[in-house]
Amino acid sequence: MKRKDIEPADFPKELQVIAEKVKRNERLNYDDALVCFESNDVLSLGKLARIVKEDLHGKICFYNINRHINPTNVCVYTYDCKFCGFAALPGEPHAWEYSHEDIYRKAELQGGDKVREFHIVGGCHPSLRLSWYEELLRGLKKRFPEVHIKAFTAIEIGWFAKLEKISVKEVLLRLRAAGLDSLPGGGAEIFDREIRKEICNGKLNADEWLEVHRTAHKLGIKSNCTMLYGHIEKAEHRVDHLLRLRALQDETGGFQAFIPLAYHPDNNFMGIKFKTPGLEDLKVIAVSRLVLDNIPNIKAYWIMLTPEVAQLALHFGANDIDGTVVEETIYHMVGASSREWMTREELETLIRIAGCEPVERDTLYNPVA
Ligand code: V47
């Protein structure tokens, strides 16, 4: 279906204004976004989001052949980030710090498909210096020159700046010179000051997170963005979060993909013991597609959603399902029930069964021949 064929009268009353705007390709405002999040007509939202997605991407669904690596889980924010089950303090039994050689060996284990991207994130380690990370990136580039390195959340970049007493710009320039190609989207959580204080007091605030990405974009470094939902936030906090991302994207155009991340309940200090049900996840995907009119790609991260819900998300506005991953710890330490990797064949099958056309992409969203 095309935008012009939308019949607003066919939608429930509360969504008719939204349908009209989608039909006219008009930007949704704060109130519209709130109406979307407060509606329980997920199928109608999905229908609209799918039309928007197909307008942008047709039937294409992107995937990539990537490998996650977490050099260390030792983190100064271990007890600040209440939702995290990954981090540890130095010396705790579950803490790890891989050596460069350990990491090079892991990078070799690519699960059978030729990896095009390393996704590298970790804890904010109290004593690993920026030079250690620069050496790591140089070592990886030397051994895997054709692999794109997407590494370090804004939180890690901010931490390196604090530890080294240098600016965020200087950190980014040094890391880029050593081999950094782009930034992942983690650490955004929820921008609202009060909610952020409750769930991750102490680490970068919203303006600081956005400033790291603004600085990266100005240097020509592309990045992703995320939102952690399904904990104590309300609809208005989700809307505020999406609109702040949209405003930065208007300014810089540097975000490639938005990845909504559903809160997982195990092994953390939140005290919330359930994960959002699948329909809620599909609603967040759909509303993100409708509100973020300037971010080209909405990623249904299959590790976080499960392959089953990620597949459904392709009918609710998502056009990317992430990649092979190979080894995953962040979500598996907080209760993810999915496997840690999928092969190219499995990803392609999952996409085809959803009626979409699988296209392998590189990290910068160029289709791979
Ligand atoms: O920043 C941590 C989240 C993020 C929990 O850029 C949790 O391509 C739910 O950002 N429940 C890291 N979420 C993952 C991430 C990501 C993943 C895939 C692709 C990309 C990309 C980025 O995981 C953290 C945090 O928001 N997280 N703990 C939890 N209990």
Side-chain angles (χ1 to χ4, degrees), residues 263-298:
Y263 165 76
H264 279 52
D266 290 358
N267 193 27
N268 65 29
F269 303 105
M270 286 288 283
I272 300 172
K273 285 296 161 215
F274 69 95
K275 193 209 147 288
T276 48
L279 263 185
E280 185 68 17
D281 297 326
L282 294 173
K283 185 204 278 188
V284 178
I285 293 271
V287 180
S288 309
R289 179 62 288 165
L290 293 172
V291 173
L292 298 175
D293 55 1
N294 55 1
I295 298 187
N297 303 290
I298 303 291

PDB file of all heavy atoms in Angstrom, residues 263-298:
ATOM      1  N   TYR A 263      13.875  -3.403  28.015  1.00  0.00           N
ATOM      2  CA  TYR A 263      14.456  -3.748  29.317  1.00  0.00           C
ATOM      3  C   TYR A 263      14.316  -5.255  29.580  1.00  0.00           C
ATOM      4  O   TYR A 263      13.244  -5.828  29.389  1.00  0.00           O
ATOM      5  CB  TYR A 263      13.745  -2.944  30.417  1.00  0.00           C
ATOM      6  CG  TYR A 263      14.007  -3.476  31.801  1.00  0.00           C
ATOM      7  CD1 TYR A 263      15.229  -3.250  32.433  1.00  0.00           C
ATOM      8  CD2 TYR A 263      13.047  -4.252  32.467  1.00  0.00           C
ATOM      9  CE1 TYR A 263      15.476  -3.781  33.689  1.00  0.00           C
ATOM     10  CE2 TYR A 263      13.297  -4.771  33.729  1.00  0.00           C
ATOM     11  CZ  TYR A 263      14.516  -4.537  34.328  1.00  0.00           C
ATOM     12  OH  TYR A 263      14.763  -5.060  35.560  1.00  0.00           O
ATOM     13  N   HIS A 264      15.413  -5.878  30.017  1.00  0.00           N
ATOM     14  CA  HIS A 264      15.402  -7.293  30.430  1.00  0.00           C
ATOM     15  C   HIS A 264      15.630  -7.356  31.936  1.00  0.00           C
ATOM     16  O   HIS A 264      16.480  -6.631  32.462  1.00  0.00           O
ATOM     17  CB  HIS A 264      16.508  -8.069  29.705  1.00  0.00           C
ATOM     18  CG  HIS A 264      16.123  -8.473  28.307  1.00  0.00           C
ATOM     19  ND1 HIS A 264      15.644  -7.588  27.384  1.00  0.00           N
ATOM     20  CD2 HIS A 264      16.153  -9.683  27.678  1.00  0.00           C
ATOM     21  CE1 HIS A 264      15.380  -8.220  26.254  1.00  0.00           C
ATOM     22  NE2 HIS A 264      15.680  -9.488  26.399  1.00  0.00           N
ATOM     23  N   PRO A 265      14.926  -8.251  32.633  1.00  0.00           N
ATOM     24  CA  PRO A 265      14.827  -8.133  34.088  1.00  0.00           C
ATOM     25  C   PRO A 265      15.820  -8.918  34.959  1.00  0.00           C
ATOM     26  O   PRO A 265      15.824  -8.729  36.170  1.00  0.00           O
ATOM     27  CB  PRO A 265      13.417  -8.649  34.356  1.00  0.00           C
ATOM     28  CG  PRO A 265      13.143  -9.616  33.261  1.00  0.00           C
ATOM     29  CD  PRO A 265      13.951  -9.200  32.084  1.00  0.00           C
ATOM     30  N   ASP A 266      16.643  -9.795  34.386  1.00  0.00           N
ATOM     31  CA  ASP A 266      17.434 -10.670  35.269  1.00  0.00           C
ATOM     32  C   ASP A 266      18.719  -9.995  35.776  1.00  0.00           C
ATOM     33  O   ASP A 266      19.283  -9.127  35.109  1.00  0.00           O
ATOM     34  CB  ASP A 266      17.827 -11.954  34.522  1.00  0.00           C
ATOM     35  CG  ASP A 266      16.621 -12.858  34.282  1.00  0.00           C
ATOM     36  OD1 ASP A 266      15.521 -12.486  34.738  1.00  0.00           O
ATOM     37  OD2 ASP A 266      16.782 -13.905  33.641  1.00  0.00           O
ATOM     38  N   ASN A 267      19.165 -10.447  36.941  1.00  0.00           N
ATOM     39  CA  ASN A 267      20.523 -10.162  37.384  1.00  0.00           C
ATOM     40  C   ASN A 267      20.838  -8.668  37.450  1.00  0.00           C
ATOM     41  O   ASN A 267      21.906  -8.228  37.049  1.00  0.00           O
ATOM     42  CB  ASN A 267      21.463 -10.883  36.385  1.00  0.00           C
ATOM     43  CG  ASN A 267      22.890 -10.946  36.868  1.00  0.00           C
ATOM     44  OD1 ASN A 267      23.147 -10.924  38.083  1.00  0.00           O
ATOM     45  ND2 ASN A 267      23.836 -10.989  35.949  1.00  0.00           N
ATOM     46  N   ASN A 268      19.873  -7.874  37.921  1.00  0.00           N
ATOM     47  CA  ASN A 268      20.157  -6.438  38.054  1.00  0.00           C
ATOM     48  C   ASN A 268      19.478  -5.888  39.314  1.00  0.00           C
ATOM     49  O   ASN A 268      18.880  -6.641  40.076  1.00  0.00           O
ATOM     50  CB  ASN A 268      19.743  -5.668  36.783  1.00  0.00           C
ATOM     51  CG  ASN A 268      18.238  -5.692  36.553  1.00  0.00           C
ATOM     52  OD1 ASN A 268      17.445  -5.779  37.490  1.00  0.00           O
ATOM     53  ND2 ASN A 268      17.843  -5.619  35.290  1.00  0.00           N
ATOM     54  N   PHE A 269      19.590  -4.564  39.510  1.00  0.00           N
ATOM     55  CA  PHE A 269      19.084  -3.964  40.752  1.00  0.00           C
ATOM     56  C   PHE A 269      17.790  -3.166  40.562  1.00  0.00           C
ATOM     57  O   PHE A 269      17.429  -2.356  41.398  1.00  0.00           O
ATOM     58  CB  PHE A 269      20.137  -3.015  41.344  1.00  0.00           C
ATOM     59  CG  PHE A 269      21.441  -3.673  41.615  1.00  0.00           C
ATOM     60  CD1 PHE A 269      22.525  -3.438  40.786  1.00  0.00           C
ATOM     61  CD2 PHE A 269      21.597  -4.539  42.687  1.00  0.00           C
ATOM     62  CE1 PHE A 269      23.739  -4.061  41.016  1.00  0.00           C
ATOM     63  CE2 PHE A 269      22.812  -5.159  42.933  1.00  0.00           C
ATOM     64  CZ  PHE A 269      23.875  -4.924  42.091  1.00  0.00           C
ATOM     65  N   MET A 270      17.112  -3.384  39.455  1.00  0.00           N
ATOM     66  CA  MET A 270      15.919  -2.572  39.176  1.00  0.00           C
ATOM     67  C   MET A 270      14.716  -2.995  40.011  1.00  0.00           C
ATOM     68  O   MET A 270      13.828  -2.185  40.275  1.00  0.00           O
ATOM     69  CB  MET A 270      15.542  -2.670  37.698  1.00  0.00           C
ATOM     70  CG  MET A 270      16.450  -1.904  36.770  1.00  0.00           C
ATOM     71  SD  MET A 270      16.249  -0.127  36.889  1.00  0.00           S
ATOM     72  CE  MET A 270      14.754   0.099  35.967  1.00  0.00           C
ATOM     73  N   GLY A 271      14.646  -4.268  40.316  1.00  0.00           N
ATOM     74  CA  GLY A 271      13.486  -4.749  41.061  1.00  0.00           C
ATOM     75  C   GLY A 271      12.239  -4.869  40.195  1.00  0.00           C
ATOM     76  O   GLY A 271      11.136  -4.981  40.708  1.00  0.00           O
ATOM     77  N   ILE A 272      12.401  -4.818  38.885  1.00  0.00           N
ATOM     78  CA  ILE A 272      11.251  -5.028  37.981  1.00  0.00           C
ATOM     79  C   ILE A 272      11.460  -6.385  37.348  1.00  0.00           C
ATOM     80  O   ILE A 272      12.483  -6.612  36.694  1.00  0.00           O
ATOM     81  CB  ILE A 272      11.189  -3.954  36.873  1.00  0.00           C
ATOM     82  CG1 ILE A 272      11.056  -2.585  37.490  1.00  0.00           C
ATOM     83  CG2 ILE A 272      10.048  -4.246  35.895  1.00  0.00           C
ATOM     84  CD1 ILE A 272      11.178  -1.458  36.484  1.00  0.00           C
ATOM     85  N   LYS A 273      10.503  -7.251  37.545  1.00  0.00           N
ATOM     86  CA  LYS A 273      10.773  -8.651  37.218  1.00  0.00           C
ATOM     87  C   LYS A 273      10.123  -9.122  35.927  1.00  0.00           C
ATOM     88  O   LYS A 273       9.976 -10.296  35.695  1.00  0.00           O
ATOM     89  CB  LYS A 273      10.364  -9.557  38.393  1.00  0.00           C
ATOM     90  CG  LYS A 273      11.359  -9.471  39.549  1.00  0.00           C
ATOM     91  CD  LYS A 273      12.740 -10.006  39.124  1.00  0.00           C
ATOM     92  CE  LYS A 273      13.875  -9.540  40.017  1.00  0.00           C
ATOM     93  NZ  LYS A 273      15.127  -9.316  39.319  1.00  0.00           N
ATOM     94  N   PHE A 274       9.646  -8.207  35.106  1.00  0.00           N
ATOM     95  CA  PHE A 274       9.113  -8.717  33.835  1.00  0.00           C
ATOM     96  C   PHE A 274       9.586  -7.879  32.656  1.00  0.00           C
ATOM     97  O   PHE A 274       9.932  -6.711  32.799  1.00  0.00           O
ATOM     98  CB  PHE A 274       7.593  -8.830  33.874  1.00  0.00           C
ATOM     99  CG  PHE A 274       6.888  -7.510  33.908  1.00  0.00           C
ATOM    100  CD1 PHE A 274       6.438  -6.924  32.730  1.00  0.00           C
ATOM    101  CD2 PHE A 274       6.673  -6.847  35.111  1.00  0.00           C
ATOM    102  CE1 PHE A 274       5.806  -5.697  32.765  1.00  0.00           C
ATOM    103  CE2 PHE A 274       6.036  -5.624  35.146  1.00  0.00           C
ATOM    104  CZ  PHE A 274       5.594  -5.049  33.960  1.00  0.00           C
ATOM    105  N   LYS A 275       9.599  -8.526  31.511  1.00  0.00           N
ATOM    106  CA  LYS A 275       9.988  -7.884  30.257  1.00  0.00           C
ATOM    107  C   LYS A 275       8.721  -7.530  29.478  1.00  0.00           C
ATOM    108  O   LYS A 275       7.730  -8.226  29.594  1.00  0.00           O
ATOM    109  CB  LYS A 275      10.839  -8.870  29.443  1.00  0.00           C
ATOM    110  CG  LYS A 275      11.558  -8.252  28.284  1.00  0.00           C
ATOM    111  CD  LYS A 275      11.805  -9.225  27.133  1.00  0.00           C
ATOM    112  CE  LYS A 275      11.750  -8.504  25.804  1.00  0.00           C
ATOM    113  NZ  LYS A 275      10.433  -8.089  25.380  1.00  0.00           N
ATOM    114  N   THR A 276       8.808  -6.456  28.712  1.00  0.00           N
ATOM    115  CA  THR A 276       7.641  -6.050  27.921  1.00  0.00           C
ATOM    116  C   THR A 276       7.177  -7.200  27.035  1.00  0.00           C
ATOM    117  O   THR A 276       7.999  -7.884  26.420  1.00  0.00           O
ATOM    118  CB  THR A 276       8.008  -4.872  26.988  1.00  0.00           C
ATOM    119  OG1 THR A 276       9.221  -5.195  26.320  1.00  0.00           O
ATOM    120  CG2 THR A 276       8.156  -3.585  27.734  1.00  0.00           C
ATOM    121  N   PRO A 277       5.848  -7.400  26.928  1.00  0.00           N
ATOM    122  CA  PRO A 277       5.365  -8.437  26.009  1.00  0.00           C
ATOM    123  C   PRO A 277       5.592  -8.005  24.554  1.00  0.00           C
ATOM    124  O   PRO A 277       5.760  -6.819  24.269  1.00  0.00           O
ATOM    125  CB  PRO A 277       3.879  -8.527  26.331  1.00  0.00           C
ATOM    126  CG  PRO A 277       3.546  -7.370  27.183  1.00  0.00           C
ATOM    127  CD  PRO A 277       4.791  -6.716  27.657  1.00  0.00           C
ATOM    128  N   GLY A 278       5.565  -8.999  23.669  1.00  0.00           N
ATOM    129  CA  GLY A 278       5.901  -8.756  22.258  1.00  0.00           C
ATOM    130  C   GLY A 278       5.114  -7.631  21.601  1.00  0.00           C
ATOM    131  O   GLY A 278       5.674  -6.854  20.820  1.00  0.00           O
ATOM    132  N   LEU A 279       3.832  -7.496  21.928  1.00  0.00           N
ATOM    133  CA  LEU A 279       3.041  -6.448  21.266  1.00  0.00           C
ATOM    134  C   LEU A 279       3.550  -5.054  21.621  1.00  0.00           C
ATOM    135  O   LEU A 279       3.526  -4.145  20.807  1.00  0.00           O
ATOM    136  CB  LEU A 279       1.562  -6.562  21.660  1.00  0.00           C
ATOM    137  CG  LEU A 279       0.637  -7.300  20.686  1.00  0.00           C
ATOM    138  CD1 LEU A 279      -0.807  -7.203  21.173  1.00  0.00           C
ATOM    139  CD2 LEU A 279       0.724  -6.767  19.263  1.00  0.00           C
ATOM    140  N   GLU A 280       4.014  -4.913  22.864  1.00  0.00           N
ATOM    141  CA  GLU A 280       4.572  -3.621  23.278  1.00  0.00           C
ATOM    142  C   GLU A 280       5.854  -3.335  22.481  1.00  0.00           C
ATOM    143  O   GLU A 280       6.095  -2.207  22.043  1.00  0.00           O
ATOM    144  CB  GLU A 280       4.861  -3.657  24.793  1.00  0.00           C
ATOM    145  CG  GLU A 280       5.327  -2.350  25.394  1.00  0.00           C
ATOM    146  CD  GLU A 280       4.242  -1.273  25.413  1.00  0.00           C
ATOM    147  OE1 GLU A 280       3.056  -1.605  25.269  1.00  0.00           O
ATOM    148  OE2 GLU A 280       4.618  -0.085  25.545  1.00  0.00           O
ATOM    149  N   ASP A 281       6.664  -4.374  22.295  1.00  0.00           N
ATOM    150  CA  ASP A 281       7.892  -4.204  21.499  1.00  0.00           C
ATOM    151  C   ASP A 281       7.542  -3.778  20.077  1.00  0.00           C
ATOM    152  O   ASP A 281       8.193  -2.910  19.495  1.00  0.00           O
ATOM    153  CB  ASP A 281       8.694  -5.512  21.466  1.00  0.00           C
ATOM    154  CG  ASP A 281       9.168  -5.949  22.847  1.00  0.00           C
ATOM    155  OD1 ASP A 281       9.465  -5.059  23.667  1.00  0.00           O
ATOM    156  OD2 ASP A 281       9.233  -7.160  23.105  1.00  0.00           O
ATOM    157  N   LEU A 282       6.497  -4.381  19.525  1.00  0.00           N
ATOM    158  CA  LEU A 282       6.101  -4.046  18.149  1.00  0.00           C
ATOM    159  C   LEU A 282       5.562  -2.619  18.083  1.00  0.00           C
ATOM    160  O   LEU A 282       5.792  -1.891  17.119  1.00  0.00           O
ATOM    161  CB  LEU A 282       5.065  -5.046  17.645  1.00  0.00           C
ATOM    162  CG  LEU A 282       5.599  -6.484  17.490  1.00  0.00           C
ATOM    163  CD1 LEU A 282       4.470  -7.447  17.142  1.00  0.00           C
ATOM    164  CD2 LEU A 282       6.694  -6.554  16.427  1.00  0.00           C
ATOM    165  N   LYS A 283       4.868  -2.207  19.152  1.00  0.00           N
ATOM    166  CA  LYS A 283       4.372  -0.830  19.179  1.00  0.00           C
ATOM    167  C   LYS A 283       5.544   0.159  19.165  1.00  0.00           C
ATOM    168  O   LYS A 283       5.529   1.155  18.430  1.00  0.00           O
ATOM    169  CB  LYS A 283       3.520  -0.604  20.438  1.00  0.00           C
ATOM    170  CG  LYS A 283       2.877   0.766  20.461  1.00  0.00           C
ATOM    171  CD  LYS A 283       2.537   1.246  21.839  1.00  0.00           C
ATOM    172  CE  LYS A 283       1.234   0.692  22.353  1.00  0.00           C
ATOM    173  NZ  LYS A 283       0.812   1.313  23.628  1.00  0.00           N
ATOM    174  N   VAL A 284       6.570  -0.126  19.959  1.00  0.00           N
ATOM    175  CA  VAL A 284       7.709   0.809  20.024  1.00  0.00           C
ATOM    176  C   VAL A 284       8.403   0.886  18.661  1.00  0.00           C
ATOM    177  O   VAL A 284       8.790   1.969  18.205  1.00  0.00           O
ATOM    178  CB  VAL A 284       8.688   0.416  21.152  1.00  0.00           C
ATOM    179  CG1 VAL A 284       9.892   1.349  21.175  1.00  0.00           C
ATOM    180  CG2 VAL A 284       7.985   0.451  22.500  1.00  0.00           C
ATOM    181  N   ILE A 285       8.531  -0.247  18.009  1.00  0.00           N
ATOM    182  CA  ILE A 285       9.132  -0.241  16.659  1.00  0.00           C
ATOM    183  C   ILE A 285       8.285   0.640  15.728  1.00  0.00           C
ATOM    184  O   ILE A 285       8.798   1.513  15.016  1.00  0.00           O
ATOM    185  CB  ILE A 285       9.188  -1.685  16.076  1.00  0.00           C
ATOM    186  CG1 ILE A 285      10.153  -2.576  16.858  1.00  0.00           C
ATOM    187  CG2 ILE A 285       9.486  -1.671  14.572  1.00  0.00           C
ATOM    188  CD1 ILE A 285      11.579  -2.572  16.403  1.00  0.00           C
ATOM    189  N   ALA A 286       6.969   0.428  15.764  1.00  0.00           N
ATOM    190  CA  ALA A 286       6.075   1.157  14.844  1.00  0.00           C
ATOM    191  C   ALA A 286       6.105   2.660  15.121  1.00  0.00           C
ATOM    192  O   ALA A 286       6.259   3.471  14.199  1.00  0.00           O
ATOM    193  CB  ALA A 286       4.648   0.613  14.968  1.00  0.00           C
ATOM    194  N   VAL A 287       5.992   3.039  16.401  1.00  0.00           N
ATOM    195  CA  VAL A 287       5.950   4.472  16.717  1.00  0.00           C
ATOM    196  C   VAL A 287       7.304   5.119  16.376  1.00  0.00           C
ATOM    197  O   VAL A 287       7.358   6.253  15.873  1.00  0.00           O
ATOM    198  CB  VAL A 287       5.554   4.706  18.195  1.00  0.00           C
ATOM    199  CG1 VAL A 287       5.512   6.192  18.503  1.00  0.00           C
ATOM    200  CG2 VAL A 287       4.207   4.064  18.500  1.00  0.00           C
ATOM    201  N   SER A 288       8.384   4.394  16.602  1.00  0.00           N
ATOM    202  CA  SER A 288       9.713   4.939  16.257  1.00  0.00           C
ATOM    203  C   SER A 288       9.774   5.238  14.765  1.00  0.00           C
ATOM    204  O   SER A 288      10.283   6.278  14.354  1.00  0.00           O
ATOM    205  CB  SER A 288      10.821   3.944  16.595  1.00  0.00           C
ATOM    206  OG  SER A 288      10.694   3.499  17.912  1.00  0.00           O
ATOM    207  N   ARG A 289       9.267   4.292  13.972  1.00  0.00           N
ATOM    208  CA  ARG A 289       9.309   4.504  12.508  1.00  0.00           C
ATOM    209  C   ARG A 289       8.485   5.745  12.124  1.00  0.00           C
ATOM    210  O   ARG A 289       8.878   6.511  11.242  1.00  0.00           O
ATOM    211  CB  ARG A 289       8.811   3.248  11.786  1.00  0.00           C
ATOM    212  CG  ARG A 289       8.772   3.291  10.261  1.00  0.00           C
ATOM    213  CD  ARG A 289      10.152   3.482   9.600  1.00  0.00           C
ATOM    214  NE  ARG A 289      10.695   4.812   9.769  1.00  0.00           N
ATOM    215  CZ  ARG A 289      11.969   5.147   9.552  1.00  0.00           C
ATOM    216  NH1 ARG A 289      12.837   4.267   9.137  1.00  0.00           N
ATOM    217  NH2 ARG A 289      12.397   6.374   9.744  1.00  0.00           N
ATOM    218  N   LEU A 290       7.351   5.913  12.810  1.00  0.00           N
ATOM    219  CA  LEU A 290       6.475   7.037  12.460  1.00  0.00           C
ATOM    220  C   LEU A 290       7.063   8.379  12.916  1.00  0.00           C
ATOM    221  O   LEU A 290       6.951   9.379  12.218  1.00  0.00           O
ATOM    222  CB  LEU A 290       5.092   6.840  13.087  1.00  0.00           C
ATOM    223  CG  LEU A 290       4.280   5.648  12.531  1.00  0.00           C
ATOM    224  CD1 LEU A 290       3.012   5.434  13.350  1.00  0.00           C
ATOM    225  CD2 LEU A 290       3.933   5.883  11.058  1.00  0.00           C
ATOM    226  N   VAL A 291       7.709   8.387  14.083  1.00  0.00           N
ATOM    227  CA  VAL A 291       8.176   9.666  14.643  1.00  0.00           C
ATOM    228  C   VAL A 291       9.550  10.066  14.085  1.00  0.00           C
ATOM    229  O   VAL A 291       9.797  11.232  13.785  1.00  0.00           O
ATOM    230  CB  VAL A 291       8.229   9.573  16.192  1.00  0.00           C
ATOM    231  CG1 VAL A 291       8.864  10.821  16.793  1.00  0.00           C
ATOM    232  CG2 VAL A 291       6.829   9.356  16.747  1.00  0.00           C
ATOM    233  N   LEU A 292      10.419   9.086  13.922  1.00  0.00           N
ATOM    234  CA  LEU A 292      11.796   9.407  13.492  1.00  0.00           C
ATOM    235  C   LEU A 292      11.858   9.460  11.960  1.00  0.00           C
ATOM    236  O   LEU A 292      12.466   8.604  11.314  1.00  0.00           O
ATOM    237  CB  LEU A 292      12.774   8.369  14.053  1.00  0.00           C
ATOM    238  CG  LEU A 292      12.839   8.319  15.589  1.00  0.00           C
ATOM    239  CD1 LEU A 292      13.736   7.184  16.056  1.00  0.00           C
ATOM    240  CD2 LEU A 292      13.342   9.650  16.155  1.00  0.00           C
ATOM    241  N   ASP A 293      11.233  10.500  11.421  1.00  0.00           N
ATOM    242  CA  ASP A 293      11.127  10.588   9.959  1.00  0.00           C
ATOM    243  C   ASP A 293      12.455  10.911   9.277  1.00  0.00           C
ATOM    244  O   ASP A 293      12.561  10.860   8.064  1.00  0.00           O
ATOM    245  CB  ASP A 293      10.071  11.646   9.590  1.00  0.00           C
ATOM    246  CG  ASP A 293      10.365  13.006  10.224  1.00  0.00           C
ATOM    247  OD1 ASP A 293      11.387  13.142  10.924  1.00  0.00           O
ATOM    248  OD2 ASP A 293       9.567  13.940  10.022  1.00  0.00           O
ATOM    249  N   ASN A 294      13.461  11.268  10.081  1.00  0.00           N
ATOM    250  CA  ASN A 294      14.750  11.633   9.472  1.00  0.00           C
ATOM    251  C   ASN A 294      15.850  10.611   9.761  1.00  0.00           C
ATOM    252  O   ASN A 294      17.001  10.826   9.393  1.00  0.00           O
ATOM    253  CB  ASN A 294      15.168  13.038   9.938  1.00  0.00           C
ATOM    254  CG  ASN A 294      15.201  13.141  11.457  1.00  0.00           C
ATOM    255  OD1 ASN A 294      14.923  12.154  12.155  1.00  0.00           O
ATOM    256  ND2 ASN A 294      15.533  14.301  11.974  1.00  0.00           N
ATOM    257  N   ILE A 295      15.531   9.538  10.440  1.00  0.00           N
ATOM    258  CA  ILE A 295      16.536   8.484  10.675  1.00  0.00           C
ATOM    259  C   ILE A 295      16.204   7.338   9.724  1.00  0.00           C
ATOM    260  O   ILE A 295      15.101   6.768   9.790  1.00  0.00           O
ATOM    261  CB  ILE A 295      16.559   8.032  12.153  1.00  0.00           C
ATOM    262  CG1 ILE A 295      16.942   9.240  13.030  1.00  0.00           C
ATOM    263  CG2 ILE A 295      17.539   6.870  12.354  1.00  0.00           C
ATOM    264  CD1 ILE A 295      17.169   8.956  14.491  1.00  0.00           C
ATOM    265  N   PRO A 296      17.129   7.018   8.816  1.00  0.00           N
ATOM    266  CA  PRO A 296      16.722   6.127   7.722  1.00  0.00           C
ATOM    267  C   PRO A 296      16.348   4.706   8.138  1.00  0.00           C
ATOM    268  O   PRO A 296      15.464   4.120   7.534  1.00  0.00           O
ATOM    269  CB  PRO A 296      17.951   6.117   6.792  1.00  0.00           C
ATOM    270  CG  PRO A 296      19.077   6.739   7.553  1.00  0.00           C
ATOM    271  CD  PRO A 296      18.479   7.574   8.630  1.00  0.00           C
ATOM    272  N   ASN A 297      16.998   4.164   9.159  1.00  0.00           N
ATOM    273  CA  ASN A 297      16.803   2.736   9.440  1.00  0.00           C
ATOM    274  C   ASN A 297      16.319   2.486  10.869  1.00  0.00           C
ATOM    275  O   ASN A 297      16.836   3.074  11.816  1.00  0.00           O
ATOM    276  CB  ASN A 297      18.126   1.977   9.233  1.00  0.00           C
ATOM    277  CG  ASN A 297      18.647   2.185   7.819  1.00  0.00           C
ATOM    278  OD1 ASN A 297      18.072   1.677   6.857  1.00  0.00           O
ATOM    279  ND2 ASN A 297      19.707   2.980   7.671  1.00  0.00           N
ATOM    280  N   ILE A 298      15.349   1.581  10.989  1.00  0.00           N
ATOM    281  CA  ILE A 298      14.889   1.132  12.312  1.00  0.00           C
ATOM    282  C   ILE A 298      15.296  -0.333  12.430  1.00  0.00           C
ATOM    283  O   ILE A 298      14.912  -1.175  11.614  1.00  0.00           O
ATOM    284  CB  ILE A 298      13.352   1.256  12.455  1.00  0.00           C
ATOM    285  CG1 ILE A 298      12.881   2.699  12.204  1.00  0.00           C
ATOM    286  CG2 ILE A 298      12.907   0.737  13.830  1.00  0.00           C
ATOM    287  CD1 ILE A 298      13.272   3.729  13.241  1.00  0.00           C
TER     288      ILE A 298
END
